[in-house]
Amino acid sequence: MKNNLIFYFLFACMACNSVKEKNKPQEEEIKNDFIFATWAHASDKFVKEEWEKKFQYYDSLGITEALIGGNAEVLKQIVPLAKQKNIKVHAWMWTLNRPNDTVANQHSDWYAVNRLGENSLEYRAYVDYYQWLSPFHPEAREYIKNNVRELAKIEGLASIHLDYVRYVDVILGADLQPKYGLVQDHEMPEYDYGYHPIAREGYKELFGVDPIEFENPELSTEWRQYRLNAVTTLVNELVEVAHESGHKMTAAVFPFPEMSRQMVRQAWDDWHLDMAFPMLYQNFYRQNINWIGFATEQGVRDVDFPIIAGLYSPALRSPSDLEQAIRLAREKGAKGMSVFTADDLTNEQKKVFVKLSKEFE
């Protein structure tokens, strides 16, 4: 089993350009419509009147797709209500970051380990809700697959939508670092993850060296790729699980693949997704609105599946900035935009949604 995993992680990307899964859902006819979407949270209790009101509100803005985080039982009841307003629901799933997961919490060996040997269940990098499973642990991987299988039982989903499908941020955005009193001009060991004992042993079998002994691990392209492959193979296995049940698979990802590799070890251009939602939160990186267009264009060039540009509403309070961001995303090839989140838009921002959703029909 161990040797098979080693081979799997090292050579996984050789299969990334191969023929996609036989069970991939039949592609719908591609339309010129520009999608307006939003992320949204659901509570553990379903309240019909609240969701009827919410979908009516989304519909008034021209929003036709909602990525909703909630348990399977609540989502099952939400989907029919959304359908009444012709709104598609995606099941938003936290993948490797599993805060307060009562099942995973019983298996400390499932959790990711940093370069200092600290387990993510016990040492929470940056924030307390950072409790990351290791993509190298076979039981953790199977547990995540079972979560997808549970969501796949829900009829009428537009997709199963993966989030936090990466490692802990080894480098935070420039605007976030001061909030934690950090200057991350190098890869700091407490935020450098992927050193699970299974990963270290497997790498040592292949290359004859324990990566924990690297003086400058960031200079080893093999060690970086080895860790990238662990997430990539997990995602592509999750895609197969979704496709086998006739569901599409989408994911929220970092802005564009090269940046994702450096900041969170996420090679999403090697994934077999049906659609990606890069989170183009320009303020996190101290960038201007034009950067949203640049990041969108880079993502569109790097992958062969559609891109939906993720925008952060608090950073686009100016209606002119919001409009420019949406127009740039569309001009650079995005098939739509998703906002985090439509539930806190100002009245002026709402007017932009109404205006552009009608213009782009």
Side-chain angles (χ1 to χ4, degrees):
M1 177 65 158
K2 194 179 295 178
N3 288 334
N4 287 342
L5 282 174
I6 294 167
F7 181 86
Y8 204 22
F9 294 139
L10 182 64
F11 298 105
C13 287
M14 293 176 64
C16 291
N17 296 319
S18 63
V19 177
K20 300 295 179 69
E21 301 79 21
K22 295 179 182 178
N23 294 315
K24 187 172 183 178
Q26 185 175 356
E27 295 292 336
E28 298 175 1
E29 181 182 352
I30 297 176
K31 300 178 181 179
N32 292 325
D33 298 344
F34 187 82
I35 294 169
F36 284 77
T38 183
W39 281 279
H41 294 287
S43 66
D44 291 336
K45 183 179 179 181
F46 173 72
V47 180
K48 182 180 179 182
E49 294 75 16
E50 290 181 1
W51 283 100
E52 286 177 332
K53 183 178 180 180
K54 189 181 291 285
F55 289 132
Q56 183 175 350
Y57 164 62
Y58 290 166
D59 183 53
S60 73
L61 298 178
I63 289 173
T64 59
E65 310 207 10
L67 305 110
I68 302 175
N71 65 54
E73 290 305 313
V74 170
L75 288 171
K76 286 177 185 176
Q77 299 175 83
I78 287 174
V79 171
L81 293 182
K83 190 173 181 181
Q84 292 175 11
K85 290 294 184 180
N86 294 316
I87 293 175
K88 297 178 180 178
V89 172
H90 303 251
W92 177 16
M93 169 183 157
W94 285 27
T95 310
L96 282 165
N97 185 24
R98 307 286 303 185
N100 303 314
D101 187 314
T102 56
V103 174
N105 283 179
Q106 299 175 38
H107 305 275
S108 61
D109 59 316
W110 287 8
Y111 285 81
V113 178
N114 67 17
R115 203 193 319 165
L116 296 178
E118 296 168 325
N119 182 298
S120 184
L121 180 60
E122 299 159 0
Y123 172 75
R124 283 86 183 274
Y126 306 115
V127 288
D128 192 54
Y129 67 83
Y130 262 27
Q131 300 172 35
W132 295 77
L133 299 181
S134 172
F136 287 96
H137 199 293
E139 292 178 14
R141 291 168 71 98
E142 190 60 28
Y143 177 64
I144 294 168
K145 289 181 191 178
N146 286 336
N147 278 280
V148 171
R149 292 184 182 108
E150 187 65 25
L151 292 173
K153 296 176 183 177
I154 303 172
E155 295 183 4
L157 290 177
S159 82
I160 297 170
H161 180 69
L162 306 178
D163 197 0
Y164 288 100
V165 58
R166 55 181 178 85
Y167 294 84
V168 171
D169 319 56
V170 65
I171 300 290
L172 288 173
D175 199 54
L176 298 176
Q177 293 180 30
K179 296 180 180 180
Y180 300 97
L182 295 171
V183 177
Q184 292 180 317
D185 53 6
H186 63 287
E187 294 186 2
M188 303 170 71
E190 58 266 48
Y191 308 115
D192 181 18
Y193 277 77
Y195 292 82
H196 192 281
I198 293 175
R200 290 170 54 191
E201 185 176 346
Y203 190 88
K204 186 174 182 179
E205 277 195 47
L206 282 168
F207 297 106
V209 60
D210 185 340
I212 202 74
E213 297 173 0
F214 286 145
E215 185 174 349
N216 300 110
E218 68 274 14
L219 300 180
S220 173
T221 54
E222 293 82 8
W223 176 226
R224 173 176 289 186
Q225 188 62 50
Y226 186 80
R227 288 179 287 177
L228 289 171
N229 288 353
V231 174
T232 293
T233 56
L234 173 62
V235 171
N236 289 339
E237 287 171 16
L238 297 178
V239 171
E240 289 181 10
V241 171
H243 286 178
E244 285 169 0
S245 62
H247 286 75
K248 292 186 176 182
M249 182 68 81
T250 62
V253 295
F254 266 55
F256 53 91
E258 185 57 32
M259 183 177 182
S260 300
R261 281 176 164 85
Q262 293 179 359
M263 301 191 76
V264 294
R265 313 200 197 289
Q266 181 187 67
W268 57 271
D269 52 337
D270 288 332
W271 299 357
H272 298 162
L273 298 173
D274 296 293
M275 187 179 290
F277 289 68
M279 298 173 286
L280 310 181
Y281 304 164
Q282 84 287 352
N283 61 309
F284 288 7
Y285 310 105
R286 295 180 180 169
Q287 298 288 349
N288 60 19
I289 304 300
N290 287 332
W291 179 86
I292 292 173
F294 170 83
T296 299
E297 187 174 32
Q298 190 61 56
V300 168
R301 287 176 177 176
D302 286 350
V303 300
D304 59 1
F305 43 77
I307 296 293
I308 305 296
L311 303 180
Y312 188 56
S313 60
L316 297 166
R317 288 303 187 203
S318 164
S320 61
D321 284 350
L322 177 59
E323 180 170 345
Q324 183 186 1
I326 295 173
R327 290 190 182 279
L328 271 173
R330 187 167 183 255
E331 290 169 9
K332 298 301 182 179
K335 299 301 182 184
M337 62 79 64
S338 183
V339 66
F340 187 85
T341 167
D343 294 330
D344 68 354
L345 295 176
T346 66
N347 288 332
E348 294 304 311
Q349 287 177 312
K350 293 173 188 176
K351 291 177 184 177
V352 173
F353 269 72
V354 173
K355 171 187 174 181
L356 295 184
S357 64
K358 290 181 178 178
E359 179 182 328
F360 295 164
E361 282 182 346

